[in-house]
Amino acid sequence: MKKLTAFVLISGFALSSFGQGAKKIAIIPEPVEITETAGTFTLSNSVIITGTSKAGVVPVANYLKKKLTTATSVTITEKANTAVYTIKLLLNSTPETVIGKEGYHLTVSAKGILISANEPVGLFYGVQTLLQLFPKEIESATVVAKTWTLPYVKITDYPRFEWRGLMFDVARHFFTKEDVKQYIDNMVRYKFNLLHLHLTDDEGWRIQIKSLPKLTEIGAYNVKKVGYFGTFAPPTPDEPRNYGGFYTQDDIRELVKYAQERFVNILPEIDVPGHSLAAVSAYPELSCTPGAENYHVRSGEVIMDWSVRPPKALVDNTLCPANEKVYEFLDKVLTEVAPLFPFPYIHMGGDECPKNFWEQSDAIKALMVKENLKTMEEVQSYFEKRLEKIVESKGKKFMGWDEILEGGLAPDAAVMSWRGMKGGADAAKMHHDVVMSPTDFAYLDYMQGDVAIEPRIYATLRLSKAYAFEPVPDSVDDKYIKGGQANLWTEQVYNMRHAEYMTWPRGFAISESLWSPKARKNWNDFVGRVETHFDRFKVADIKYAPSVYDPIFTASQTADKKVQVFMSTEMQGLDIYYTFDNSFPDNHYPKYTSPVLIPEDAFQLKVITYRGNEPIGRMITIPVTDLNKRAGKK
Ligand code: ACM
């Protein structure tokens, strides 16, 4: 870690340590080194951008120009090289080692704004930081009349990890090409450089494969339902299967180009051998199970029993490892997928593959004898090893979820560790490349606060926990940990507004865990910056979850079998007011100071948080029956 100026340490921490709201300089992710000096730079009406004579700088300059001309009324002149400039984008002629490929220096001074980097991507990240130094109105979609003033500052910055990803599940619910572009637009603000597209699952096959047209004719559509996905009634045969969609290969090329222009790689995931009901519905001969010709793409009905260990499929949603046609199928798929994505890896899933139908299959039994496979995990491992060869035959590297470790890891496989960090740590110890995306820190589909207010799903992952994400486990050589990513599964995410709500602000926390030096992370400081970015998102009309302002509840029983409620907040400096009399609490009601006993006949608890005299959290109502349950009281 570089030395910090005393001024920044003092000002940053003092401003934020009591959660006092928005900060003046509030960069996310926190830069490696930042020195603020007295003074401000004001943009005149005529802005000169220079540096664009060098190849690679023009797209970055254009990106910046578009932002400036959208929100401000300045006129912009590009000059190839000039001593007098407003914004200079300088590509180093001799690379500077400290900042590496993606790093940059940024100076705002009386002379103007200077961003220097070794590569255009570094300039692009310098521009992202620069935009965060502008007043929040720079996020406006229309011109705002105001004085555009920036603080004098000197920043040196570069990432901790090369893999800084977000996964977007476009299979459970389909998101259009324009939605994906919007997702990319938002992720690059926070210096994410990898978009993992989960392209296939039980609920949809989303990428055109010309040699296998039924994958999208049949596999891309199910029956539209709303409510709590996973609990829906099975569709009747006459319900129209017209909900969904897919990307044509031209769409994919357009998305890859759009991403590349923003220095984002797209990692495609084709999830096999489990999660394959859409593929099996299109081509039933890929299943081990007789009767698969009656299968349908899932519309959110129950298809697995998760209550048993290991979970059991009620419908066989797997490809059959004992069937040569499956490998021919995968070869055809990968022949078309590989050239569409320049990124070196292809992710082949491998997660949550139920084995109960394989256990019944004569073909699998014969395969086990022939290949001397002792367990179902070894059957999957046999499949993964053959799959790795197919992936490699297309000039790509093979990656899968950590289940691919079970039964023996394929020789060159990279592992994405999701069931905690252990799979990743084990793979790293075997000298395999690893990306960490553990559920406990990085699952964006999880609730951000209490189930009493958030849309219900399996578990809760609060902002503070996401912020504690540390991708390198103790005792692991960090050279194998390529980085990390957060995953947005979309079973319960039906539209883009909710995708945004689920991604932010936890995406801020993950971006800081992946970009910033470990020693620069500080929760209280971070939360202050988050609030500034909330203000920016309001101007940009990007939805975010305000859950960090809401109270946290736990309940327990006292020795005399009464139930007491404990309340706290993730953020410091908030007050909690509550009622048990069904009226709406405000700051004239009891303030929480210590555990509260539930009055004997109370029906519900209502709670709200305040900062000073202003309500800041959402009104939350919890029935006393729920609190009793939480306390284990029958
Ligand atoms: C996963 O969450 N099933 C990878």
Side-chain angles (χ1 to χ4, degrees):
M1 181 191 148
K2 293 268 168 66
K3 243 179 48 214
L4 308 171
T5 58
F7 178 84
V8 172
L9 273 173
I10 292 161
S11 70
F13 286 43
L15 261 176
S16 60
S17 57
F18 298 107
Q20 293 304 314
K23 296 182 55 175
K24 188 159 77 88
I25 292 193
I27 312 296
I28 297 179
E30 177 73 0
V32 172
E33 195 177 316
I34 172 163
T35 311
E36 195 181 349
T37 47
T40 54
F41 177 81
T42 300
L43 230 54
S44 76
N45 266 341
S46 134
V47 166
I48 300 169
I49 297 183
T50 181
T52 48
S53 59
K54 286 221 176 148
V57 180
V58 176
V60 180
N62 286 343
Y63 179 95
L64 175 61
K65 251 167 63 180
K66 181 143 188 257
K67 278 278 187 187
L68 293 179
T69 50
T70 304
T72 81
S73 54
V74 300
T75 52
I76 297 179
T77 322
E78 264 178 48
K79 295 205 174 152
N81 219 341
T82 162
V84 179
Y85 58 83
T86 320
I87 303 167
K88 181 167 182 164
L89 301 172
L90 175 66
L91 211 48
N92 295 331
S93 1
T94 323
E96 188 201 317
T97 35
V98 174
I99 58 173
K101 180 170 175 268
E102 295 182 291
Y104 63 92
H105 296 284
L106 164 62
T107 306
V108 181
S109 68
K111 262 187 86 177
I113 295 159
L114 171 64
I115 302 174
S116 66
N118 295 328
E119 306 260 350
V121 60
L123 294 178
F124 184 71
Y125 291 140
V127 163
Q128 295 303 338
T129 298
L130 172 64
L131 291 168
Q132 294 188 15
L133 292 170
F134 269 78
K136 63 179 186 218
E137 290 80 8
I138 196 70
E139 300 297 347
S140 169
T142 51
V143 169
V144 178
K146 72 175 271 109
T147 310
W148 299 93
T149 302
L150 291 84
Y152 286 169
V153 73
K154 224 171 156 52
I155 292 173
T156 295
D157 201 13
Y158 47 87
R160 181 172 170 211
F161 293 102
E162 67 185 272
W163 186 300
R164 304 182 304 279
L166 287 177
M167 190 213 75
F168 193 11
D169 170 8
V170 292
R172 266 50 178 279
H173 283 102
F174 180 60
F175 290 82
T176 65
K177 189 171 65 177
E178 294 313 314
D179 291 337
V180 176
K181 287 183 182 174
Q182 192 183 323
Y183 206 73
I184 293 170
D185 286 344
N186 291 345
M187 65 190 273
V188 298
R189 295 162 180 268
Y190 297 98
K191 305 187 176 79
F192 284 102
N193 64 358
L194 183 118
L195 176 66
H196 170 172
L197 283 182
H198 181 75
L199 287 166
T200 72
D201 215 301
D202 298 319
E203 297 77 7
W205 184 284
R206 306 297 181 203
I207 179 169
Q208 178 188 33
I209 304 296
K210 290 180 181 166
S211 60
L212 296 160
K214 285 196 276 184
L215 280 175
T216 44
E217 284 165 14
I218 294 173
Y221 298 97
N222 59 6
V223 176
K224 181 174 168 59
K225 303 216 170 210
V226 289
Y228 279 113
F229 186 96
T231 63
F232 299 152
T236 54
D238 58 339
E239 280 185 271
R241 294 192 158 265
N242 56 10
Y243 180 61
F246 65 93
Y247 311 113
T248 64
Q249 295 194 359
D250 281 343
D251 290 338
I252 294 285
R253 277 185 274 270
E254 186 180 324
L255 282 175
V256 166
K257 181 164 176 289
Y258 190 88
Q260 278 182 322
E261 284 164 1
R262 288 151 185 81
F263 304 95
V264 168
N265 285 304
I266 299 187
L267 167 73
E269 181 189 350
I270 306 294
D271 196 356
V272 290
H275 287 279
S276 292
L277 189 56
V280 170
S281 302
Y283 294 100
E285 63 272 25
L286 301 176
S287 165
C288 293
T289 303
E293 43 304 332
N294 299 318
Y295 287 175
H296 295 291
V297 180
R298 184 182 181 217
S299 305
E301 68 276 21
V302 178
I303 62 162
M304 293 278 292
D305 180 357
W306 294 100
S307 69
V308 293
R309 285 280 159 260
K312 222 173 114 184
L314 307 174
V315 173
D316 184 5
N317 66 340
T318 67
L319 304 185
C320 186
N323 183 350
E324 284 308 307
K325 279 191 194 148
V326 164
Y327 302 100
E328 287 160 25
F329 164 82
L330 290 166
D331 192 286
K332 280 187 183 171
V333 168
L334 289 165
T335 299
E336 297 192 38
V337 168
L340 290 171
F341 296 92
F343 194 57
Y345 285 93
I346 297 185
H347 195 309
M348 296 303 304
D351 58 320
E352 297 178 317
C353 178
K355 313 286 196 307
N356 52 303
F357 282 96
W358 292 359
E359 282 163 359
Q360 313 283 314
S361 161
D362 289 340
I364 294 284
K365 285 177 195 157
L367 177 77
M368 292 176 80
V369 172
K370 180 161 163 265
E371 298 293 334
N372 194 24
L373 307 171
K374 300 280 176 263
T375 63
M376 286 300 143
E377 286 66 36
E378 287 183 22
V379 172
Q380 181 168 348
S381 169
Y382 165 86
F383 170 87
E384 302 293 350
K385 285 174 184 153
R386 287 194 63 177
L387 186 53
E388 180 182 74
K389 288 210 182 90
I390 301 174
V391 170
E392 288 177 351
S393 76
K394 311 300 169 202
K396 296 291 184 181
K397 297 197 222 179
F398 174 77
M399 173 175 268
W401 298 110
D402 57 67
E403 283 91 335
I404 65 170
L405 281 150
E406 295 167 0
L409 191 54
D412 297 308
V415 170
M416 191 169 272
S417 192
W418 74 278
R419 296 175 302 175
M421 313 272 279
K422 185 176 177 309
D426 291 347
K429 284 177 192 154
M430 292 190 271
H431 300 177
H432 287 252
D433 284 341
V434 167
V435 174
M436 291 293 189
S437 61
T439 51
D440 9 6
F441 298 97
Y443 262 41
L444 300 179
D445 55 329
Y446 285 8
M447 295 176 290
Q448 303 178 71
D450 200 282
V451 67
I453 183 125
E454 301 293 341
R456 173 161 52 83
I457 194 165
Y458 332 107
T460 296
L461 168 62
R462 292 181 187 277
L463 180 62
S464 47
K465 191 78 190 287
Y467 192 66
F469 179 37
E470 167 47 46
V472 183
D474 292 341
S475 80
V476 166
D477 185 346
D478 64 1
K479 100 170 173 222
Y480 296 106
I481 311 295
K482 295 177 77 66
Q485 67 178 45
N487 298 332
L488 179 62
W489 299 102
T490 60
E491 288 98 316
Q492 312 290 355
V493 179
Y494 293 74
N495 56 64
M496 258 330 258
R497 288 301 273 181
H498 197 53
E500 289 174 358
Y501 176 95
M502 297 305 284
T503 305
W504 313 109
R506 289 179 298 188
F508 303 158
I510 301 297
S511 99
E512 191 144 311
S513 297
L514 297 174
W515 177 282
S516 307
K518 196 173 164 181
R520 289 287 272 149
K521 286 179 70 186
N522 176 299
W523 164 251
N524 284 331
D525 185 70
F526 171 71
V527 167
R529 285 180 282 124
V530 165
E531 294 206 84
T532 304
H533 285 251
F534 283 171
D535 289 344
R536 303 179 77 86
F537 270 29
K538 280 179 200 146
V539 181
D541 197 19
I542 302 169
K543 195 163 186 174
Y544 62 87
S547 321
V548 70
Y549 295 121
D550 294 334
I552 299 168
F553 307 91
T554 55
S556 70
Q557 282 189 66
T558 59
D560 54 353
K561 302 267 183 257
K562 296 213 163 82
V563 171
Q564 59 183 344
V565 184
F566 299 78
M567 298 180 229
S568 59
T569 56
E570 274 192 285
M571 249 186 182
Q572 293 182 42
L574 307 189
D575 297 321
I576 303 171
Y577 296 94
Y578 65 93
T579 68
F580 279 108
D581 63 8
N582 307 329
S583 63
F584 297 103
D586 60 23
N587 55 351
H588 295 263
Y589 280 77
K591 181 155 119 180
Y592 178 85
T593 51
S594 58
V596 184
L597 283 177
I598 301 178
E600 191 181 351
D601 296 309
F603 173 70
Q604 60 191 3
L605 168 66
K606 282 185 178 286
V607 182
I608 192 161
T609 54
Y610 270 63
R611 178 184 279 150
N613 290 325
E614 293 298 322
I616 194 156
R618 294 169 291 188
M619 180 78 66
I620 299 186
T621 304
I622 309 191
V624 166
T625 47
D626 278 13
L627 292 169
N628 287 344
K629 252 191 235 152
R630 291 179 191 204
K633 183 173 173 176
K634 305 262 154 42

